[in-house]
Amino acid sequence: MRDQSTAPLPLPPEAAAPRKRRRGVLLWSVLAAILVVLVVAAVVVDGVARSYAGTLIENKVRSSLSIPASTPVDARVGGASVLLQLLAGKLERVDVSSKGLTVGALTGDATLTATGIPIDQSKPIDHATLEFTVDETQLKTLVGTVSGIPVNSLTVHSGAIALATTITVLGIGLPVTVAVAPSAVGGELALTPKSVTFNGQTLSPADLRKTFGSLADRLLSTQKICVAQFLPKSLVLDAVTVSGSKVALAVSADTVTLNSDLFATKGVCASK
């Protein structure tokens, strides 16, 4: 017969409850630690995938535009998890930038923003915006001679472009500076005169016409400059902004295919 004196005494209910609670806390701590490890691993893997995708895009852009190795190109994949985006077959957003990019006769800073980019490059993206920023020297090259008016110098300030030129009155060349506001009109760069500085005085278009009559018409008419030869054929100039001493030309398009043909084929300016 078992000696009842040596049998373990049952734990009272108030002693068993804390032990169960400790087991529950331990279990949740282990699960939380495992979850943290999984989240960190997912972030690391996604970061590697994001970096790898950015590198592939950089190489694609560099080869498509024949950008030399000395010109920096940076591509960043935005949006949520890149792994989930790849599984869905479409990237949410990609930003590509390049400083000192030369396009034809112009050199500037370019930024391409694309949204809804299919992994299958034969399919069109949802939307693309390309912004090309040039300084005063490059803008003077772009403006060149506006409708027969020689541009002696060009400066950008206070949201306007100042064109220094010369008009001839009674056989005498008179230096004038025309302040023009840039904008995009019908896919072209439009320069609309806002004021003219002559002999130290700034005159409004109306005052200038009173002084010079029809001789002022050439100075005061809105001049349009075709920029299609600098841009991909499928993208049309739709915005012009002035910031400090630089001017940004922005083009955009919907449902375009981001392939080599897009960047290699430039637009054509109609003869006037």
Side-chain angles (χ1 to χ4, degrees):
M1 179 178 291
R2 187 175 180 182
D3 186 357
Q4 295 294 329
S5 64
T6 60
L9 296 175
L11 291 173
E14 60 272 15
R19 183 172 296 178
K20 290 182 179 180
R21 283 198 295 270
R22 284 197 296 271
R23 291 198 188 104
V25 171
L26 180 60
L27 177 61
W28 282 112
S29 298
V30 172
L31 291 176
I34 293 175
L35 180 60
V36 169
V37 172
L38 291 176
V39 170
V40 172
V43 170
V44 171
V45 172
D46 190 74
V48 172
R50 193 179 298 271
S51 176
Y52 181 70
T55 301
L56 288 179
I57 295 171
E58 289 175 16
N59 294 336
K60 181 66 175 179
V61 171
R62 190 179 293 278
S63 62
S64 297
L65 295 177
S66 299
I67 300 176
S70 57
T71 301
V73 176
D74 179 65
R76 298 182 183 275
V77 180
S81 169
V82 173
L83 295 177
L84 293 179
Q85 293 182 57
L86 293 175
L87 290 175
K90 179 180 286 190
L91 297 178
E92 295 178 16
R93 172 176 174 139
V94 171
D95 295 286
V96 183
S97 61
S98 178
K99 293 184 178 296
L101 178 66
T102 298
V103 181
L106 297 179
T107 299
D109 299 336
T111 301
L112 171 67
T113 299
T115 56
I117 309 98
I119 303 303
D120 184 352
Q121 297 183 17
S122 65
K123 296 180 179 180
I125 67 171
D126 293 345
H127 184 75
T129 300
L130 175 64
E131 186 174 272
F132 193 69
T133 303
V134 296
D135 59 16
E136 295 173 337
T137 301
Q138 297 299 314
L139 189 61
K140 184 176 184 297
T141 299
L142 176 62
V143 173
T145 300
V146 180
S147 296
I149 300 176
V151 179
N152 301 328
S153 64
L154 182 151
T155 56
V156 181
H157 60 83
S158 301
I161 300 172
L163 304 175
T165 184
T166 303
I167 61 172
T168 302
V169 179
L170 300 177
I172 301 175
L174 302 176
V176 297
T177 299
V178 184
V180 298
S183 62
V185 177
E188 294 184 310
L189 171 61
L191 304 177
T192 303
K194 295 300 181 181
S195 65
V196 177
T197 301
F198 166 71
N199 197 27
Q201 294 184 335
T202 299
L203 306 176
S204 67
D207 291 336
L208 192 69
R209 281 196 171 92
K210 289 180 181 179
T211 304
F212 294 101
S214 60
L215 293 175
D217 290 345
R218 194 171 59 162
L219 284 177
L220 298 178
S221 61
T222 297
Q223 310 295 335
K224 294 182 179 179
I225 303 171
C226 177
V227 295
Q229 71 271 31
F230 301 109
L231 304 173
K233 185 177 180 179
S234 300
L235 303 180
V236 179
L237 182 71
D238 56 12
V240 181
T241 56
V242 179
S243 178
S245 61
K246 295 185 177 182
V247 175
L249 309 175
V251 298
S252 63
D254 295 318
T255 62
V256 294
T257 303
L258 289 178
N259 53 27
S260 300
D261 291 338
L262 170 66
F263 297 106
T265 307
K266 300 297 189 297
V268 178
C269 294
S271 57
K272 297 182 180 181

